Amino acid sequence: MNSRCLIPRKGRACTTLQKTACTSVRLSVLRPSSTRYNTSIVSGREVATGAGFVKEEEQPRLNGRAREMVNDRDLFLDVLNSAASKREARSYLSRFQHSGPVPQQVQLAAKAIHTALVLIKAVHSIDDITLKGIGRTLSQLSQLGLTCVVVIDDKSEDSLGLLRNSSFEWRGRILEQADRVVAAIGQDGGQHSRRLDNVIEVSSEDKSLSSSVKIHGRACVIHQSLISAPLRRNIIPVIAPVGYIPTSGCLAPVETSEVMLAFTREFSGIVPKTAIQEELIRGTQADKNLQTQISLDRIIVLDPHGGIPSSNKSNGSHIFINLEQEYEDIQNDLDQLRGKIDQSSVQAHLSNLQLVRDALALLPPSSSGLLTTPHEAANLIPRNGTSKRSGTGNSAQQSVLSPNLGVRTRAQRNPLIHNLLTDKPTLSSSLPMTRLSPFSEISGVQASPNTFLKRGVPVTIIPDPRYRPWKPPVTSFLQLTDPRIDLPRLIHLIEDSFGRKLDVQHYLDRISSKLAGIIVAGSYEGGAILTWEAPSHNPERLVPYLDKFAVLKRSQGAGGVADIVFSAMVRECFPDGVVWRSRRDNPVNKWYFERAKGTRQLPTDNKQGWTMFWTTETVSSNRFDDYEAVCKNVIPSWSDGKAALD
């Protein structure tokens, strides 16, 4: 099979790739056929062409077809390395049915143009090899249906010095960096890119202070046709933080956060237009229609500081942030890190966190944010044992790092490609801390290169463990009929998740004197019911038991609802451990195995049988007997009386 048919060329929709993604991909496609490919290793690098592999430095001399095959092969490898499940592939396909440039009359009737706003910070410190890798990744995102709009930031000391002395010289410097990014995206047959000037207007009045949701700001987007035309043709615009001041007729630097929020407001269509702005965009109905069809799906920040560090997690990093629940706590935690990491790093993390929060507040809940490093976005592979998370901008680094091209013996997951295909972080936030590998260490605090953010959902825990820890009760138990609990919605959640009818009265009777608490995510999109169970051989030793764990079918595999509920359970409610059971043929067991500290197959007469899971760090023999007795004796409460997934 010719691998070129699996990856779309520019100007061709992702039809074949989409068919491939939703079926089992044959790995033999990746192996070069002996009749068409030869394998040679030159200086540790392999690059595919129609006749064999060539050195990376010879790549610019390849003809257009061979260079296109190299890029197609890179994209295909990155797609496979993302390890998307069938459910994730179906979710991706349902959102990205249209890709690539299409005739205008067809585009107007098509689904939304999926877009990502990408902020590249400290672009001056990114060496050419890393920038080339970033350009390749952005091209791949466009080929997969996510067109990028790139905003660059340059706040080096040299740049700030130029700004203090001469805004003209500073503008020349920042435009030069923008041209570097354009060249990196377009080289080696990548997507077309274009630097766009005169698209930002700056007001002398800051209107953003009037609302916590920043529907107004100092910066706004003008000349919308300059943005719409490239997006319609799948061209990647690159924007420098330079704005026009109408009162003085001058150009001036603009905070990149203001530029990002200006484009967010523009693409979300919530900006009230002035009479002048209406006149500027009055041109064609196509421009207006296009604005309503843009779907801003991602806010991506590439910052050498990487993801958000944490002082209260053993791996030292935030992998996933539910902004609705965690934003203020993380702000306070970052303030407490001032002294463990330098002041500039703390400020950078706070700025990135606030930018993504403000942008996602203007967008639908399905949109997400990603904070990562330029190296991660470039998908660099270390040589000679050198970490790919080392510093940037030096010649030594360029000699040991290279973009992930060609055949590799070890898969390298590109966080941006993975995030596009799965809408998830590269690691699950609900995994046990011991299974989250540490990353680069900064003054005793380990920081992850990647942090995935969602506006998320609020989490309600009854009773609140901050004020009433979940301990075995003495006299009173919580009831599901408590007015704080919406019982009909809870029942619907359970029945929708399990696909079965619950015998409600039997269930209420069974747990009426055992309920430890309940966790609810959002508007009953997910939840967990936990009980205190008494082992038959020793009723006085109560066991914390996960009785029901449920997520609405429409929320399964997306939005991190399951991770949010599970994390709340093991980190806030039962940090010392909890036990549960599941049928051996339950498809969710793989997810459970990854998060449990231990498992055991319970011997039963039923052919289906049970698997017991627990999160307790160390389990004594007596406690283990308690766990087993409880899991064997819990009676299901399904109305049909049949054995069911629990």
Side-chain angles (χ1 to χ4, degrees), residues 56 120 122-123 125-138 180 184-185 187 302 304 373-380 388 390-394 397-398 401-403:
E56 181 189 2
I120 305 179
V123 67
S125 68
I126 303 176
D127 60 80
D128 291 340
I129 293 178
T130 305
L131 198 59
K132 178 180 178 181
I134 294 172
R136 180 179 293 103
T137 295
L138 298 181
R180 283 185 67 215
I185 295 172
Q187 66 184 336
L302 308 184
T373 65
H375 283 176
E376 291 286 323
N379 207 21
L380 296 176
K388 71 178 180 178
S390 58
T392 61
N394 57 65
Q397 177 200 40
Q398 296 188 25
L401 296 174
S402 57

Side-chain angles (χ1 to χ4, degrees), residues 62-318:
L62 298 176
N63 59 37
R65 176 181 173 85
R67 193 159 46 235
E68 185 178 299
M69 294 182 69
V70 173
N71 294 334
D72 287 353
R73 185 180 183 86
D74 295 338
L75 177 55
F76 192 31
L77 287 169
D78 277 335
V79 169
L80 292 184
N81 288 339
S82 71
S85 66
K86 290 183 179 180
R87 174 187 290 172
E88 291 163 346
R90 285 194 296 268
S91 176
Y92 160 73
L93 295 174
S94 69
R95 290 178 289 121
F96 293 86
Q97 288 296 325
H98 297 274
S99 176
V102 294
Q104 180 174 326
Q105 61 272 25
V106 177
Q107 179 68 64
L108 294 178
K111 290 189 176 181
I113 299 174
H114 295 277
T115 308
L117 262 179
V118 182
L119 173 59
I120 305 179
K121 285 196 165 186
V123 67
H124 66 277
S125 68
I126 303 176
D127 60 80
D128 291 340
I129 293 178
T130 305
L131 198 59
K132 178 180 178 181
I134 294 172
R136 180 179 293 103
T137 295
L138 298 181
S139 293
Q140 291 174 341
L141 290 177
S142 291
Q143 288 179 282
L144 289 170
L146 187 68
T147 302
C148 298
V149 176
V150 180
V151 178
I152 68 166
D153 180 36
D154 181 18
K155 289 185 178 179
S156 64
E157 287 299 324
D158 291 343
S159 178
L160 294 177
L162 288 175
L163 179 58
R164 286 189 292 266
N165 296 325
S166 170
S167 61
F168 179 80
E169 292 183 13
W170 172 86
R171 189 163 64 250
R173 168 71 174 264
I174 194 69
L175 295 180
E176 178 184 343
Q177 296 298 327
D179 290 337
R180 283 185 67 215
V181 175
V182 170
I185 295 172
Q187 66 184 336
D188 295 336
Q191 290 293 112
H192 293 300
S193 180
R194 179 186 303 168
R195 191 190 86 204
L196 298 183
D197 301 324
N198 305 320
V199 294
I200 297 295
E201 181 180 289
V202 184
S203 170
S204 58
E205 180 182 0
D206 187 355
K207 302 176 182 180
S208 62
L209 300 177
S210 61
S211 173
S212 58
V213 179
K214 299 194 174 182
I215 59 175
H216 299 282
R218 291 188 64 238
C220 64
V221 178
I222 58 174
H223 300 301
Q224 284 77 4
S225 60
L226 293 180
I227 300 294
S228 63
L231 293 179
R232 194 180 292 121
R233 292 192 285 270
N234 206 25
I235 295 173
I236 299 176
V238 176
I239 316 295
V242 179
Y244 172 73
I245 303 177
T247 55
S248 64
C250 299
L251 296 175
V254 188
E255 284 292 330
T256 50
S257 59
E258 288 283 357
V259 177
M260 293 286 286
L261 291 175
F263 276 101
T264 302
R265 289 188 290 266
E266 180 66 28
F267 292 154
S268 61
I270 65 173
V271 182
K273 297 287 190 278
T274 65
I276 296 178
Q277 289 172 322
E278 284 289 356
E279 184 67 28
L280 288 172
I281 64 172
R282 192 169 290 163
T284 64
Q285 187 64 32
D287 288 334
K288 295 181 181 180
N289 289 340
L290 182 69
Q291 183 180 0
T292 62
Q293 291 173 7
I294 292 176
S295 172
L296 183 52
D297 297 340
R298 298 289 189 278
I299 303 294
I300 300 172
V301 179
L302 308 184
D303 189 328
H305 293 95
I308 305 295
S310 171
S311 62
N312 57 10
K313 294 188 177 182
S314 61
N315 70 316
S317 64
H318 288 281

Side-chain angles (χ1 to χ4, degrees), residues 1-9 12 16-17 20 25-37 48-51 65-74 76:
M1 181 184 296
N2 186 348
S3 63
R4 291 184 70 253
C5 69
L6 296 173
I7 303 297
R9 285 183 289 181
R12 186 172 68 197
T16 311
L17 175 63
T20 305
V25 181
R26 297 180 180 177
L27 294 180
S28 58
V29 175
L30 289 177
R31 301 188 183 98
S33 170
S34 59
T35 60
R36 297 200 55 181
Y37 291 88
T49 68
R65 176 181 173 85
R67 193 159 46 235
E68 185 178 299
M69 294 182 69
V70 173
N71 294 334
D72 287 353
R73 185 180 183 86
D74 295 338
F76 192 31

Side-chain angles (χ1 to χ4, degrees), residues 322 325 457-465 470 478 480 484-485 490 493-494 515-531 545-551 561-575 578:
N322 176 16
Q325 176 195 12
V457 294
V459 176
T460 303
I461 304 178
I462 305 173
D464 192 330
W470 289 22
L478 180 70
L480 285 183
R484 293 172 293 177
I485 300 173
L490 180 62
L493 167 63
I494 295 171
L515 187 61
I518 179 174
I519 304 169
V520 176
S523 300
Y524 288 81
E525 296 172 51
I529 300 174
L530 297 109
T531 60
Y545 179 74
L546 172 58
D547 191 87
K548 288 288 183 287
F549 186 86
V551 178
V561 175
D563 285 329
I564 290 170
V565 175
F566 195 90
S567 296
M569 177 183 72
V570 299
R571 294 172 190 170
E572 298 182 50
C573 302
F574 285 134
V578 62

Side-chain angles (χ1 to χ4, degrees), residues 402-414:
S402 57
N404 182 15
L405 288 174
V407 179
R408 313 304 295 176
T409 58
R410 185 175 180 181
Q412 186 75 8
R413 180 175 294 180
N414 188 316

